Amino acid sequence: KHPDMVLRKAHFAAWRINWQDKSANLAELAAELNIGLESMVMIDDSEIECGMIAQQLPGFDVYCLPKTPHQIPGFLDRIAGLENINRTVEDSKKASMYRAQVERRREEATFDNIEAYLESLGLKVAVAAADSFSIPRIAQLTQKTNQFNMTTRRYTEADIGRFDSSESNAVFAVSAADRFGDYGIIGVLILDFTGNACRIDTFLLSCRVIGRRIEDAIVAFVADVARARGITDVQGEFCSTAKNAPAAAVYPRLGFEAVSETLFRADISATEIPVPAFIHFERPETVA
């Protein structure tokens, strides 16, 4: 409330102000915001606290501030997790998006079953072909998304541009919104058309929408794209990492058969993949 304070309550998406163990608070905040611990950075002025967090949450990014105040600004500038070289529209809206996420979590707690909660959201999902506006965000998501990322392939804007201009590829951005607010661009789909097959090179969704079954709608859309090109063989890859377990069961659950440890295949002439009834799905006018 100090008149010269730059930060205000509205700048904080969530907080824990108590005497609980800090590692427990961090885990609670991650759950409340529906993000992974790898998306968080811990900065403290106590070497003891930093050491405890590093021990209790292995792999978590922990930084201890310098003792001399004038060294702090330069120290913060060198933390890789705080860098943002190419600021996207979603970045500028991130705080309000996280506040909306907190409201969703509170609302979810009032429902007895997840299906009723999902139906109450009024979820809208839209798929659009990549363009100059979405390509920076698409590249950013390939570089940052870990939990729901089928292949975890990292691409630059130049890479995405090459995919987009290639006749043998198609690149799509996935956006979503519900009655709590706009999620922005939260998904990426890169398809490769080789021979008589449609291979899903990249399929990822932001951790903010995990559990919404948006992935079902996206795979149904892939099937539509393949059919429009006269293709019945759709192939999806899942390359396991230490962080992408939330995406592991998607292809088998949607009727894909395992060809190998990493490759799944569906004959879409014989496999129907429905869009969940609670999702209002918007797709491009042409999918060929």
Side-chain angles (χ1 to χ4, degrees):
K1 295 181 180 179
H2 192 287
D4 295 326
M5 183 60 182
V6 175
L7 293 174
R8 297 294 175 180
K9 188 176 181 179
H11 291 111
F12 295 86
W15 53 85
R16 290 294 184 278
I17 305 170
N18 55 43
W19 296 107
Q20 285 187 158
D21 181 77
K22 286 187 177 180
S23 61
N25 278 329
L26 289 168
E28 286 183 9
L29 285 168
E32 183 175 337
L33 296 171
N34 200 25
I35 61 175
L37 288 172
E38 73 276 2
S39 297
M40 303 173 73
V41 173
M42 169 73 173
I43 302 173
D44 204 289
D45 61 353
S46 167
E47 293 181 1
I48 295 175
E49 294 285 358
C50 289
M52 289 177 62
I53 295 297
Q55 183 178 23
Q56 294 167 356
L57 300 174
F60 190 79
D61 287 337
V62 184
Y63 297 91
C64 193
L65 287 173
K67 299 298 183 185
T68 308
H70 77 266
Q71 293 180 314
I72 292 176
F75 173 81
L76 296 176
D77 286 340
R78 292 191 296 273
I79 296 178
L82 302 184
E83 274 187 347
N84 195 339
I85 297 172
N86 190 359
R87 186 176 174 86
T88 65
V89 173
E90 275 72 19
D91 292 330
S92 66
K93 298 178 179 178
K94 192 65 67 71
S96 61
M97 288 178 177
Y98 280 133
R99 286 195 294 272
Q101 186 64 30
V102 171
E103 292 301 316
R104 291 185 186 96
R105 299 291 287 190
R106 290 172 181 166
E107 178 86 358
E108 183 179 357
T110 67
F111 284 80
D112 293 329
N113 67 81
I114 189 63
E115 291 297 325
Y117 168 66
L118 292 175
E119 289 176 3
S120 76
L121 285 176
L123 186 59
K124 298 178 181 179
V125 176
V127 175
D131 57 23
S132 59
F133 169 78
S134 62
I135 284 177
R137 173 62 174 167
I138 289 171
Q140 183 186 63
L141 282 170
T142 69
Q143 294 160 17
K144 295 174 61 176
T145 306
N146 295 302
Q147 290 190 66
F148 196 108
N149 193 334
M150 292 294 188
T151 53
T152 320
R153 294 183 176 120
R154 312 301 191 185
Y155 293 125
T156 64
E157 289 185 36
D159 293 329
I160 301 300
R162 282 191 289 272
F163 281 125
D164 187 46
S165 61
S166 170
E167 292 185 0
S168 61
N169 295 106
V171 183
F172 300 95
V174 183
S175 58
D178 61 23
R179 62 187 175 87
F180 288 97
D182 191 346
Y183 291 94
I185 296 176
I186 44 79
V188 173
L189 183 63
I190 301 176
L191 304 179
D192 178 82
F193 306 99
T194 302
N196 191 38
C198 171
R199 182 178 63 86
I200 305 173
D201 173 274
T202 296
F203 176 21
L204 63 84
L205 292 170
S206 166
C207 59
R208 291 183 288 123
V209 296
I210 289 177
R212 303 286 188 267
R213 289 183 60 193
I214 293 175
E215 63 273 18
D216 295 28
I218 302 310
V219 176
F221 171 73
V222 173
D224 288 344
V225 173
R227 290 189 191 99
R229 288 179 173 245
I231 295 172
T232 59
D233 182 15
V234 175
Q235 301 174 8
E237 296 175 84
F238 177 74
C239 303
S240 179
T241 70
K243 298 177 180 179
N244 70 350
V250 171
Y251 289 133
R253 179 171 61 80
L254 294 177
F256 283 64
E257 294 184 0
V259 178
S260 67
E261 288 187 4
T262 60
L263 184 65
F264 297 83
R265 173 176 289 158
D267 178 357
I268 57 172
S269 66
T271 302
E272 183 66 28
I273 304 171
V275 175
F278 56 82
I279 293 179
H280 175 72
F281 191 59
E282 299 177 8
R283 64 194 73 206
E285 292 183 5
T286 174
V287 295

